[in-house]
Amino acid sequence: MAGHEDFIEAENAEAIITRIEHKSRKIESLLKQYKPVEALKTALEGSSAITKDDRCKSANWIAVHRAIMAIKDVDGMLASLDSEYYDILMKYLYRGLSTGDRPTCEQCLRIHEKLTQRAGLGCILRCLADTQNTV
Amino acid sequence: MTAVSVHKFAQCITSHAWSPDNSMIAVCPNTEEVHIYQSSEDKWEKIHVLQKHDQVVCGIDWSSKMNKIVTVSHDRNSYVWNQEGGEWVATLVILRLNRAALCVQWSPKENKFAVGSGAKTVCICYYEQENNWWVSKLIRKKHNSSVTSVAWHPNNILLATTSTDGKCRVFSTFIKGVDTRDSEAGSASDTKFGEQIIQLDLSYSWAFGVKWSPSGNTLAYVGHNSMIYFVDDVGPSPLAQSVAFRDLPLRDVFFVSEKMVIGVGFDCNPMVFAADESGLWSFIRFLGQKQTAPTSARAGSQISGAFGKLYGQSKYNNASDNGNDSHSSGRAHENCITCIVPLKKGRDSKVTHFSTSGLDGKVVIWDLGSQDIADYL
């Protein structure tokens, strides 16, 4: 029974990877058009889909990372980002901070400060407390 | 504005309860004792000290019809206190637990009480006339972690629990000989003791504080992830709503009416949640007073030197940046609020007064009557 479930998960993973590749191409084209906020929205969309597969999570993180690093005007970005994205963005900021990569951490901290002002401490708590749906 | 009275009873209060006529308050000052105070001309006078427990008393409830107090403690026992000739006489209730008892509540008919414990167990206790003895029946092997809160449905049969495994569960507590199978309780009286009616998996973190609405149609509980959950039509097909808020998590909730809930917790300031006409719940506002920036500037100037300057400045910025800041001085509570209790209603069915207590040792009485939120009552 467990083997059967693994099979479904693997099948699923292939489909998700394909979707993420498609998403990455869309993000690249949005970045070329100087639409970093649209790119970030695209990156965050659908990434909350529950998958336990680490390969999918990494692929998704690469896409989101690309969009996060392209953000120059943090205040402007947050102003045009809907509040429903705040929780998922916070999760990716913590993933970014956990990489230990200097430019990534600097960018994530910059966004983290502004996002906390906007979304409150509740947003951080939801991100830290959710051990089931990690990104 | 709304905090009618503030009184500091102890260093820290784990729980408190009011006498049926609201003239006396029983507080657990985070020790093995319970103190009963009576109000006389704006002063609180300590009139009784209940001493029986060996360890910290962490739960108390005062029944309004029978005038009995029930206490539970980390010493794994419970006492029912009865007033006989001016003195409070304790009857030991052996709960048969191997971990601390954490919370307690009388059932609406006051013929049973429920105890949540750290032993992943709920005890339902009832009085046996022939043996002159309180009997404890256990609901075992249903919880995967400590039971943090219990709440009785108005039908006296259903019990809701929250646990640190993140789940909220509803059980039947039907006890033969104590409860009668009548139509009043509806289909709930067809269930047998310990039967799980529903398990709600909305939270991924610890769940605290559960309550039923006055009619028993809606259930509300809170998670340690700054979320509050509302569940309608508890049964085979429940309707659940999760509401996220921007501040620190809640510890306890209380239904003022079918459409309004007060939440208290780590933010030290009660939060008001209300449902609109379509039944959609949302955060309305904080109940406590909001102070303006100058007070925090003064707090900063008391610290000398460069650090004081910096500290004062950062505090100032915080307060002016964030109009919604509840962490200003002048609020009623200075630490996490852990307990919220209604002041028993008189002939009027509306609850307009309630009290809160917390880790700062204060009991604060709140009045909702004069509020602009009275529309929701």
Side-chain angles (χ1 to χ4, degrees):
Chain A
M1 201 58 206
H4 184 61
E5 272 168 25
D6 282 349
F7 178 68
I8 290 177
E9 179 74 15
E11 190 88 313
N12 228 350
E14 286 309 317
I16 293 170
I17 296 274
T18 321
R19 227 175 26 239
I20 295 168
E21 277 167 3
H22 177 73
K23 194 163 83 172
S24 302
R25 280 196 294 276
K26 200 172 158 194
I27 292 166
E28 288 302 330
S29 81
L30 283 166
L31 288 177
K32 281 203 187 93
Q33 297 163 44
Y34 301 105
K35 288 179 181 164
V37 181
E38 292 302 313
L40 185 60
K41 274 187 195 167
T42 312
L44 295 176
E45 256 162 35
S47 50
S48 56
I50 299 164
T51 166
K52 296 260 184 288
D53 192 279
D54 281 336
R55 215 154 49 97
C56 296
K57 284 183 186 177
S58 303
N60 221 350
W61 162 241
I62 292 165
V64 177
H65 179 250
R66 181 85 180 83
I68 286 178
M69 295 309 279
I71 299 289
K72 297 267 171 354
D73 172 20
V74 177
D75 284 314
M77 179 273 285
L78 288 175
S80 53
L81 192 70
D82 293 328
S83 56
E84 65 200 79
Y85 292 106
Y86 289 169
D87 284 5
I88 185 77
L89 175 59
M90 189 59 95
K91 281 187 185 178
Y92 278 110
L93 291 182
Y94 277 100
R95 168 140 199 182
L97 289 169
S98 72
T99 60
D101 172 50
R102 190 165 179 135
T104 310
C105 288
E106 276 171 4
Q107 175 74 346
C108 286
L109 273 176
R110 220 154 58 85
I111 303 176
H112 185 276
E113 184 195 355
K114 302 283 181 191
L115 182 60
T116 308
Q117 276 174 18
R118 212 167 247 277
L121 297 172
C123 180
I124 296 177
L125 270 152
R126 277 189 289 282
C127 155
L128 297 180
D130 192 351
T131 51
Q132 305 286 312
N133 308 314
T134 50
V135 293
Chain B
M1 175 166 53
T2 54
V4 182
S5 108
V6 181
H7 189 83
K8 193 173 165 83
F9 286 98
Q11 281 295 312
C12 169
I13 292 178
T14 53
S15 189
H16 73 282
W18 293 92
S19 67
D21 62 354
N22 293 335
S23 65
M24 287 180 278
I25 185 172
V27 300
C28 311
N30 201 27
T31 65
E32 65 279 5
E33 293 178 349
V34 174
H35 297 174
I36 299 179
Y37 290 84
Q38 185 162 37
S39 79
S40 57
E41 296 157 11
D42 289 356
K43 277 212 304 276
W44 288 100
E45 206 184 327
K46 196 193 284 183
I47 53 166
H48 292 289
V49 176
L50 309 186
Q51 280 171 310
K52 270 287 183 202
H53 285 292
D54 299 327
Q55 285 172 37
V56 171
V57 181
C58 50
I60 187 165
D61 198 15
W62 199 326
S63 70
S64 51
K65 291 171 210 150
M66 319 275 257
N67 196 31
K68 281 186 167 86
I69 297 177
V70 58
T71 56
V72 295
S73 153
H74 288 184
D75 66 12
R76 314 192 303 275
N77 283 324
S78 169
Y79 285 97
V80 174
W81 305 80
N82 202 13
Q83 200 166 21
E84 288 167 18
E87 284 303 306
W88 287 96
V89 180
T91 312
L92 175 67
V93 183
I94 296 173
L95 298 172
R96 299 190 289 139
L97 293 173
N98 57 4
R99 294 285 189 283
L102 299 175
C103 52
V104 64
Q105 199 184 25
W106 284 105
S107 73
K109 284 185 185 161
E110 299 175 2
N111 54 356
K112 299 186 276 190
F113 64 87
V115 180
S117 77
K120 310 176 188 177
T121 309
V122 175
C123 311
I124 310 296
C125 304
Y126 60 98
Y127 188 67
E128 256 185 18
Q129 196 76 49
E130 49 269 41
N131 301 323
N132 184 21
W133 186 252
W134 287 88
V135 181
S136 162
K137 266 187 109 159
L138 304 184
I139 301 176
R140 275 188 217 267
K141 293 181 180 169
K142 304 280 186 183
H143 298 87
N144 295 323
S145 195
S146 297
V147 180
T148 52
S149 182
V150 291
W152 286 95
H153 189 277
N155 69 12
N156 209 50
I157 304 278
L158 297 183
L159 182 82
T161 66
T162 50
S163 164
T164 42
D165 60 13
K167 312 275 194 278
C168 175
R169 299 174 174 90
V170 177
F171 295 100
S172 162
T173 67
F174 186 90
I175 294 170
K176 235 187 243 172
V178 178
D179 296 295
T180 45
R181 294 198 188 271
D182 55 15
S183 53
E184 189 191 330
S187 59
S189 63
D190 296 335
T191 52
K192 59 177 193 291
F193 179 85
E195 189 179 327
Q196 185 171 294
I197 310 295
I198 192 174
Q199 174 176 308
L200 298 158
D201 297 330
L202 300 171
S203 176
Y204 290 108
S205 56
W206 301 334
F208 291 106
V210 59
K211 288 281 156 55
W212 295 91
S213 68
S215 69
N217 290 336
T218 311
L219 187 70
Y221 70 103
V222 295
H224 204 56
N225 51 353
S226 287
M227 301 272 266
I228 181 164
Y229 305 96
F230 298 95
V231 184
D232 288 319
D233 303 331
V234 176
S237 53
L239 283 169
Q241 279 179 54
S242 309
V243 178
F245 47 88
R246 57 166 289 140
D247 298 285
L248 296 177
L250 298 172
R251 275 303 291 266
D252 203 359
V253 286
F254 161 65
F255 272 91
V256 176
S257 69
E258 291 292 322
K259 296 260 170 251
M260 188 165 132
V261 164
I262 309 282
V264 294
F266 293 91
D267 226 67
C268 316
N269 202 342
M271 298 181 196
V272 183
F273 295 87
D276 60 14
E277 290 83 18
S278 57
L280 209 65
W281 288 88
S282 56
F283 171 72
I284 303 295
R285 66 180 187 82
F286 283 105
L287 206 55
Q289 243 162 342
K290 271 180 221 123
Q291 214 78 10
T292 41
T295 46
S296 48
R298 199 184 58 225
S301 67
Q302 286 168 348
I303 305 161
S304 57
F307 173 73
K309 216 171 177 180
L310 268 171
Y311 179 73
Q313 206 161 26
S314 67
K315 282 280 274 191
Y316 199 96
N317 284 344
N318 245 336
S320 52
D321 275 2
N322 190 350
N324 223 350
D325 191 14
S326 71
H327 296 267
S328 49
S329 55
R331 64 205 162 146
H333 277 290
E334 284 154 353
N335 208 332
C336 173
I337 310 174
T338 54
C339 179
I340 177 165
V341 178
L343 266 78
K344 307 264 164 30
K345 39 204 171 181
R347 257 164 256 134
D348 196 1
S349 63
K350 277 181 192 169
V351 178
T352 53
H353 287 68
F354 61 88
S355 60
T356 55
S357 70
L359 306 187
D360 58 358
K362 287 179 183 170
V363 172
V364 179
I365 301 174
W366 303 82
D367 179 11
L368 283 173
S370 58
Q371 295 266 319
D372 46 338
I373 44 178
D375 308 343
Y376 295 100
L377 290 173

